[in-house]
Amino acid sequence: MRRFFTSESVTEGHPDKVCDKIADAILDELLKQDSYARSAVECCAAYNTLFITGEVSAKASVDYEAVARRVIREIGYHHGSFAYDACNVLSYVHGQSADIALGVDASVERKAGGDEWDLLGAGDQGMMFGYACRETEELMPLPIVLAHKLSKRLADLRKSRELSYLRPDGKTQVTVEYEGKTPVRVDTIVISTQHKETVSQEQIHEDVKNLVVKAVIPAHLLDENTKYYINPTGKFSIGGPEGDSGLTGRKIVVDTYGGRCAHGGGSFSGKDPTKVDRSATYMARYVCKNLVAAGLCDEVEIEIAYAIGVAHPVSIFVDTFGTGRLPDDKLAEIVEKEFDLRPAAIIETLGLRRPIYAETAAYGHFGRDSFPWERTDRAEDLKKYLG
């Protein structure tokens, strides 16, 4: 059976990613001074203005405006109304709600005499999903892996000045054709990149196809029927917040699995690890990747659900899409037994109180070995369940 699946990515200069990057850079600065900082920072960018808001409770002193301008400069907005030294920055940040802190500071289980890992309750209710598959060496779906690599390649060529006419904003999209569950070819590639006003579209098409697409997409996946749409509107010189507004957390599918996996709806950027929207989603990926690496399944999706102020998950759901070496309900029991999914234990297992978050804000939170939730250090031990 032939089928097609499409995923997209965006560059770090996309308006939404500008906001994500600033929110996570602020979080990192807080964690450098106070590893127990609480943060839920969000940003909105439009035309010539950046608005920073949210909740922060920390023993730290951070100049939010200075962090924002540094990030905007690093991304590459040096000219125009949203240039790092020209845009307006408005900051309205307040302390964490005392009502929320009640549940986070001491969980229901801790109040009943639980152990040290019951110290933190979940920062909110909600469901978080993780996923892994054997489709790529990253144990990620191929469409989102390729889309991220195309976006990152655009940024690298711009920053190295090899394509000096490129500007920070951009989007990529890849459609992969499958035979059953096996990817066999790339059917369609869409790339829209912001550019200098004076460069011709013909030059952009030639350079993007030769220096971006051919450098990223394996040759055996491209053929004479692969379709290319490069700057399909014909012009993209106005970009970033000057061309469209941006919001923190608006690219949650880009951040995760490109639509292949379900999503609970919570975003990541700007949130400290007591927020299970972030930490439990990272843990779910860690669990899934280790299950696949151990050979217990070839593909798996996990849902973990929490109640605010309660440390233990209220449910764990496992779906291996028929690839499990054991029944899905048995694998759910193994997950509950082998992985401590309480927020305090997740933070400890993955080392999440460190300033590691700004790097996550663009090109995907998953599939990059530099992140601790991408480790497969539990795989060997989990093989014992194969008998």
Side-chain angles (χ1 to χ4, degrees):
M1 179 182 68
R2 289 184 176 270
R3 60 194 183 103
F4 299 83
F5 195 87
T6 302
S7 295
E8 74 160 344
S9 177
V10 297
T11 66
E12 64 209 67
H14 184 281
D16 295 331
K17 281 291 143 202
V18 171
C19 292
D20 285 344
K21 188 88 169 180
I22 292 169
D24 273 336
I26 289 171
L27 172 60
D28 279 354
E29 290 301 318
L30 292 166
L31 290 173
K32 287 176 184 177
Q33 299 180 42
D34 179 3
S35 60
Y36 289 86
R38 301 271 177 85
S39 170
V41 171
E42 300 190 25
C43 301
C44 174
Y47 192 60
N48 65 349
T49 300
L50 174 74
F51 181 69
I52 304 171
T53 188
E55 303 174 347
V56 167
S57 294
K59 296 176 181 178
S61 178
V62 173
D63 186 335
Y64 302 135
E65 178 178 345
V67 173
R69 293 191 188 279
R70 170 176 59 81
V71 171
I72 295 168
R73 175 174 51 81
E74 291 172 351
I75 288 172
Y77 286 111
H78 301 156
H79 308 285
S81 63
F82 198 74
Y84 74 94
D85 56 354
C87 64
N88 303 309
V89 178
L90 307 176
S91 179
Y92 295 93
V93 178
H94 57 85
Q96 184 181 50
S97 162
D99 292 344
I100 294 175
L102 281 173
V104 178
D105 292 338
S107 69
V108 169
E109 295 95 330
R110 183 66 169 176
K111 292 171 184 174
D115 63 29
E116 62 178 314
W117 301 119
D118 286 325
L119 177 61
L120 292 179
D124 202 352
Q125 70 176 47
M127 59 280 191
M128 295 80 206
F129 290 88
Y131 180 84
C133 65
R134 292 196 184 279
E135 211 165 285
T136 62
E137 64 180 16
E138 298 91 348
L139 302 186
M140 289 282 288
L142 182 60
I144 188 64
V145 168
L146 294 179
H148 281 321
K149 288 181 177 180
L150 289 172
S151 291
K152 183 63 164 57
R153 178 68 174 165
L154 282 174
D156 290 345
L157 290 170
R158 171 176 61 86
K159 291 180 176 181
S160 71
R161 306 294 292 173
E162 187 171 351
L163 293 182
S164 60
Y165 60 79
L166 292 180
R167 296 296 181 258
D169 200 354
K171 303 179 75 172
T172 65
Q173 185 172 286
V174 178
T175 301
V176 173
E177 182 178 348
Y178 290 79
E179 287 184 357
K181 289 182 175 289
T182 304
V184 294
R185 59 182 291 273
V186 169
D187 181 76
T188 306
I189 296 171
V190 183
I191 298 178
S192 296
T193 180
Q194 186 187 8
H195 57 83
K196 188 177 180 180
E197 180 78 32
T198 55
V199 68
S200 70
Q201 291 300 314
E202 290 75 19
Q203 183 69 54
I204 295 172
H205 279 240
E206 180 180 351
D207 288 342
V208 167
K209 195 168 181 179
N210 291 326
L211 299 178
V212 179
V213 174
K214 291 183 179 179
V216 167
I217 308 295
H220 72 275
L221 293 176
L222 300 172
D223 59 31
E224 66 276 7
N225 294 318
T226 299
K227 297 179 284 293
Y228 301 90
Y229 296 98
I230 299 170
N231 280 14
T233 62
K235 185 181 179 182
F236 186 5
S237 61
I238 301 173
E242 190 174 0
D244 194 7
S245 62
L247 290 170
T248 302
R250 196 158 58 177
K251 285 290 177 285
I252 56 177
V253 172
V254 170
D255 286 341
T256 52
Y257 306 98
R260 179 69 67 83
C261 170
H263 199 294
S267 63
F268 306 147
S269 291
K271 295 179 181 177
D272 74 84
T274 67
K275 279 70 173 176
V276 286
D277 278 342
R278 183 167 217 160
S279 55
T281 303
Y282 290 169
M283 189 65 177
R285 165 64 176 171
Y286 176 66
V287 172
C288 287
K289 195 171 182 183
N290 278 275
L291 291 177
V292 172
L296 289 167
C297 52
D298 293 328
E299 180 182 15
V300 62
E301 176 182 293
I302 289 178
E303 181 201 53
I304 309 170
Y306 292 87
I308 188 169
V310 181
H312 287 83
V314 299
S315 70
I316 301 169
F317 175 80
V318 174
D319 186 355
T320 62
F321 308 94
T323 71
R325 309 296 186 269
L326 297 169
D328 289 350
D329 59 345
K330 176 63 175 176
L331 286 174
E333 293 174 7
I334 291 170
V335 170
E336 187 170 15
K337 178 182 178 181
E338 295 290 338
F339 297 92
D340 195 332
L341 302 177
R342 291 173 291 180
I346 291 173
I347 291 169
E348 178 69 18
T349 298
L350 300 181
L352 298 181
R353 292 200 184 277
R354 297 173 293 135
I356 59 174
Y357 297 103
E359 186 185 351
T360 70
Y363 314 116
H365 291 245
F366 307 119
R368 294 194 278 162
D369 288 341
S370 57
F371 302 143
W373 47 90
E374 293 296 315
R375 302 192 311 255
T376 54
D377 53 343
R378 295 296 310 281
E380 284 301 314
D381 182 53
L382 290 172
K383 289 179 180 179
K384 64 190 177 188
Y385 292 105
L386 293 171

